[in-house]
Amino acid sequence: MLLHALPLDGSMWAEQMHLLPGATHAPTLYSSGETIDVWARAALEPLTGGNIIVVGCSVGGSCALEIATSAPERVSALVLIGTKAKHHPDPTFHASALRLIGEEGLEVAWESYWAPLFSRATSAATINRAKEMALRSSAAEIARGVTVFHTRPSRDHCLTTFPGPITIVSGADDVAPGPRASTSQAASTVNGRVHVLPACGHYVPLERPLALNAILRDVIGSQERG
């Protein structure tokens, strides 16, 4: 299961869909509702059984943690990319983001909030593809995603209690939460490791797809061997 970041959609995982052909689910979650638990239920609903490797980027990682918290028996491994498990709500920032989206539009919001999360080493073509993807969604959908992100609960306890492997991935140039926070989170896990990818920002699946694919193949292989 591949869970997307804001303000992107399930197509951000195009370079990862072939890793488990016919057994990979990459939903777009904006229409599911306005809370992370509703997103988690919607992501799980089409799937049967367990042994799910849940991979999430940014708010998708928060959704992955929510799934592991609510249905741990169905999750065999977690991969968290650019994800911060502990959350301190900031209602003022939440309100200002919604106001900017509503009054100025998605393109202004993209330049303000999400374009700066890419590494300076990332090609303009990659950033432009991501922008085009983001602008395919409506302002209402992205605003819903912003609300999910800002109202999510802390799930740092999941890092310390989830018994399966947790792989944490960060771009070296990411600032949300960044390599230092990611390394600290990995150290708190029962069975975790961290990968910090050079010349990469927040959107690892787009910025460093080959490096991420190697990490995911290793996770898949370890589950198949286990």
Side-chain angles (χ1 to χ4, degrees):
M1 181 186 293
L2 305 172
L3 302 172
H4 63 83
L6 268 171
L8 308 178
D9 59 33
S11 68
M12 73 174 286
W13 301 102
E15 297 296 326
Q16 288 74 46
M17 293 297 292
H18 68 283
L19 297 176
L20 274 177
T24 301
H25 178 50
T28 297
L29 295 169
Y30 299 120
S31 64
S32 302
E34 295 190 354
T35 62
I36 198 76
D37 61 311
V38 171
W39 278 26
R41 291 197 299 272
L44 276 175
E45 186 176 6
L47 306 183
T48 59
N51 198 32
I52 304 170
I53 299 170
V54 186
V55 182
C57 181
S58 193
V59 72
S62 299
C63 189
L65 286 167
E66 193 67 24
I67 290 170
T69 299
S70 62
E73 72 285 353
R74 300 187 64 186
V75 180
S76 61
L78 286 171
V79 181
L80 307 175
I81 305 166
T83 300
K84 188 174 183 180
K86 192 171 185 65
H87 177 56
H88 299 287
D90 187 343
T92 301
F93 186 25
H94 180 194
S96 68
L98 293 180
R99 186 165 54 252
L100 183 66
I101 292 169
E103 295 178 359
E104 302 293 335
L106 281 183
E107 189 157 3
V108 172
W110 168 266
E111 298 299 337
S112 298
Y113 298 131
W114 298 300
L117 298 181
F118 287 88
S119 169
R120 292 184 179 180
T122 299
S123 71
T126 295
I127 298 171
N128 287 337
R129 284 197 302 272
K131 180 179 179 179
E132 290 171 3
M133 187 190 309
L135 296 182
R136 287 201 299 262
S137 296
S138 69
E141 288 173 321
I142 301 304
R144 195 175 299 123
V146 167
T147 291
V148 168
F149 178 78
H150 279 279
T151 61
R152 73 195 193 277
S154 287
R155 291 301 184 205
D156 47 320
H157 69 278
C158 184
L159 297 177
T160 62
T161 59
F162 181 72
I166 299 179
T167 302
I168 295 179
V169 182
S170 174
D173 301 330
D174 190 14
V175 294
R180 180 177 296 181
S182 295
T183 300
S184 176
Q185 289 183 124
S188 72
T189 63
V190 176
N191 180 13
R193 61 171 59 184
V194 64
H195 297 270
V196 177
L197 303 181
C200 185
H202 190 60
Y203 297 105
V204 176
L206 301 176
E207 296 181 71
R208 295 292 307 278
L210 297 181
L212 177 60
N213 289 356
I215 293 168
L216 295 179
R217 285 192 186 97
D218 184 58
V219 174
I220 293 166
S222 67
Q223 293 302 300
E224 292 173 341
R225 292 189 296 271

